[in-house]
Amino acid sequence: MVSEKTLILDARQVQEKIKRMAFEIYEHNFKEKNVVIAGIDGQGYILAQLLLKHVQEISPLEGKLVKVSLDKLSPLQSEVTLDCELKDLKKKCIILVDDVLNTGRTFAYGMKPFLNIEVKKIETAVLVNRSHTLFPIYPQYTGYELATTIKDHVEVNLGKETAVYLLD
């Protein structure tokens, strides 16, 4: 059985969404000196890199990029790791980033390391929010809201051929 691919956002639209999200991040954090943008490994980390680049272009905020690594399929069986020292994140504003928010499971487990230290706040950012949350996660920054069935799959490509597709 072959999946149908429907284009949801083209490269230009994705860039516009990311730029708007960067402005929102700055608006909500303009009193801060710096922010930590923590991307979940994979497309979430690429999105975090793009967000940080735009935030630094439009604001005086200093930003730190952090990679959050976890097994999305079995987060309880694996450790959630960061590519920096926890002490570097103390009393900072953390923005946890992933490409798609579906059930909220990945975000819930991705927050685990940040809950072991004192942080100012933790916010979440996603390019696509599917609103099928099973965990109490609501993104502060959303590029695109998409009503889908639970069986549908959203594919985000932030590489050479940037686009967002719906596979059904």
Side-chain angles (χ1 to χ4, degrees):
M1 185 172 153
V2 177
S3 295
E4 278 291 314
K5 237 183 188 185
T6 305
L7 180 67
I8 302 296
L9 299 170
D10 63 25
R12 182 187 54 77
Q13 292 169 314
V14 169
Q15 289 305 317
E16 288 173 357
K17 302 286 184 200
I18 293 170
K19 195 170 199 174
R20 181 183 48 76
M21 290 170 66
F23 274 102
E24 289 178 20
I25 289 169
Y26 178 47
E27 287 171 7
H28 286 111
N29 295 285
F30 71 94
K31 291 182 180 178
E32 302 299 327
K33 290 182 179 150
N34 51 44
V35 293
V36 174
I37 300 186
I40 294 177
D41 197 11
Q43 295 294 303
Y45 184 69
I46 295 169
L47 178 58
Q49 290 173 315
L50 295 169
L51 281 170
L52 180 60
K53 178 180 157 253
H54 284 293
V55 167
Q56 290 178 322
E57 286 173 358
I58 63 170
S59 77
L61 287 174
E62 289 180 33
K64 177 171 180 61
L65 182 66
V66 173
K67 184 186 284 187
V68 180
S69 299
L70 71 145
D71 182 345
K72 291 183 179 187
L73 299 176
S74 57
L76 278 176
Q77 280 69 39
S78 66
E79 188 179 346
V80 180
T81 60
L82 305 176
D83 68 349
C84 71
E85 296 291 322
L86 273 178
K87 63 180 169 62
D88 297 339
L89 308 177
K90 194 171 184 180
K91 297 186 179 178
K92 299 277 196 285
C93 296
I94 312 291
I95 300 167
L96 187 58
V97 179
D98 204 4
D99 57 344
V100 178
L101 173 62
N102 189 17
T103 64
R105 176 189 315 272
T106 301
F107 270 110
Y109 287 103
M111 283 185 197
K112 190 176 179 182
F114 304 110
L115 300 176
N116 293 324
I117 57 168
E118 181 185 355
V119 296
K120 275 191 180 179
K121 65 180 172 180
I122 300 175
E123 297 179 320
T124 54
V126 296
L127 185 58
V128 179
N129 181 8
R130 293 189 55 207
S131 304
H132 289 294
T133 54
L134 300 175
F135 290 76
I137 304 293
Y138 184 80
Q140 282 76 23
Y141 311 107
T142 301
Y144 190 75
E145 293 269 346
L146 182 64
T148 60
T149 67
I150 198 75
K151 292 180 182 178
D152 291 330
H153 179 74
V154 174
E155 179 184 295
V156 174
N157 183 349
L158 296 172
K160 289 180 182 177
E161 297 179 25
T162 298
V164 176
Y165 296 98
L166 176 64
L167 298 142
D168 48 48

